[in-house]
Amino acid sequence: MMERSLLYQLHGNQIKPGVEVDERLFHEVFRSKYGKVRVYKISNVSQESRAWVEDPANRVCDVPGSWFCPGKYPPGLSDILQRKKDFAQLEDFNRADADEEYQKQYFEALNNPQKAAQRARDLERETKRKEDDVNSAESAAQQKKDVDTIYNTWEDTEYTTKMWQLISSNQVEELRLWLKDDPTVAFIRSQDGRGPMWWAFEQRNEDITKLLMKSGVPHTDRDAKGLTPVDLLEGNK
């Protein structure tokens, strides 16, 4: 869990393997000899927020004209600050809003560090699984969008030529490897509206037909002449 914190990222930046911060946001201006102390300058600061903070009207002083003016956060941070949870001592049982579950886990961790470590690992795995599910869904949506674009674009290209050659020469394994590397090529179509499925039916190649169907290629669509792949089995050209 610690690896996801900003403090960990800034302290381990380009020191720990795989840890790098966005240089567009944080620019390192000082590093001690052994990297124990590091100072960063925050880049790309909102000029609107900076002007708001520097405006004396937005300062909160203990008395008018005082030197003690803690100030306030700019409106640009309001969305983040609404989700904050103020720090408080776990041992303060007199708080009205005491988080009993959090306190329970805190003391369980003190009494059983191994169990706490396992719980942390389980939580990390669950978080990663959810992130993977989201990424997978986004990837699937993007692939469907790409497939739709490819399938509705009719043009003669080096890819359509290569596809026709593989199918007409019955190179099933080479086609299988190509589809594994790039599943979207199963949906390419030439200028006459025909594509891999038409050519597979035309060649009466059952292996390639099954391979294309497994990839999700339809066999009922029509080419520029209004013919489906099935029509080619009947000798229509």
Side-chain angles (χ1 to χ4, degrees):
M1 297 290 287
M2 184 179 293
E3 288 84 350
R4 301 172 62 187
S5 71
L6 176 61
L7 180 60
Y8 180 93
Q9 296 289 323
L10 293 175
H11 186 268
N13 180 35
Q14 297 182 353
I15 292 180
K16 294 182 178 295
V19 178
E20 289 190 15
V21 298
D22 191 339
E23 294 184 354
R24 296 171 300 177
L25 301 178
F26 301 97
H27 175 64
E28 184 177 19
V29 295
F30 173 80
R31 181 192 300 189
S32 63
K33 182 177 180 180
Y34 298 106
K36 300 299 183 182
V37 178
R38 309 183 70 174
V39 179
Y40 290 87
K41 177 182 178 181
I42 300 177
S43 305
N44 293 326
V45 176
S46 168
Q47 296 304 309
E48 181 180 356
S49 292
R50 173 176 287 177
W52 191 93
V53 170
E54 293 176 350
D55 186 346
N58 296 318
R59 295 176 183 171
V60 180
C61 303
D62 56 347
V63 293
S66 171
W67 61 269
F68 183 68
C69 303
K72 297 185 294 185
Y73 288 110
L77 293 174
S78 59
D79 183 56
I80 296 176
L81 294 177
Q82 286 176 0
R83 302 194 299 268
K84 72 182 179 67
K85 183 174 182 179
D86 294 333
F87 172 79
Q89 288 295 118
L90 288 172
E91 294 79 4
D92 184 3
F93 298 106
N94 295 318
R95 289 186 295 122
D97 60 343
D99 189 336
E100 295 182 1
E101 180 60 26
Y102 187 53
Q103 291 176 352
K104 177 182 176 182
Q105 293 183 13
Y106 173 77
F107 288 112
E108 283 182 352
L110 290 179
N111 297 325
N112 193 336
Q114 291 79 12
K115 182 178 180 180
Q118 183 61 49
R119 182 186 292 117
R121 288 191 293 269
D122 292 342
L123 180 60
E124 182 70 16
R125 281 195 292 268
E126 178 64 16
T127 301
K128 187 177 186 306
R129 185 190 64 77
K130 291 180 179 179
E131 291 175 349
D132 290 343
D133 288 345
V134 171
N135 293 335
S136 179
E138 292 176 348
S139 178
Q142 182 59 48
Q143 181 170 319
K144 184 180 185 305
K145 183 178 179 181
D146 293 342
V147 165
D148 291 341
T149 300
I150 293 171
Y151 197 66
N152 292 304
T153 301
W154 299 4
E155 58 182 353
D156 295 332
T157 66
E158 59 180 306
Y159 297 110
T160 56
T161 299
K162 178 181 178 180
M163 180 65 74
W164 182 86
Q165 290 173 341
L166 290 177
I167 295 175
S168 62
S169 58
N170 193 32
Q171 298 186 50
V172 181
E173 190 57 33
E174 187 170 345
L175 177 58
R176 190 192 313 278
L177 293 175
W178 191 17
L179 294 178
K180 182 178 180 181
D181 182 61
D182 183 3
T184 63
V185 296
F187 298 87
I188 59 176
R189 298 173 74 174
S190 58
Q191 193 172 18
D192 60 5
R194 296 185 180 183
M197 191 63 80
W198 279 265
W199 302 325
F201 269 80
E202 188 175 28
Q203 297 293 325
R204 289 173 167 74
N205 192 315
E206 184 176 351
D207 291 336
I208 292 181
T209 299
K210 289 181 178 179
L211 181 61
L212 293 171
M213 287 184 173
K214 186 177 180 181
S215 297
V217 183
H219 63 283
T220 56
D221 288 344
R222 300 182 182 276
D223 62 12
K225 294 182 179 180
L227 298 176
T228 67
V230 177
D231 291 332
L232 302 186
L233 289 176
E234 302 171 358
N236 297 316
K237 296 295 185 180

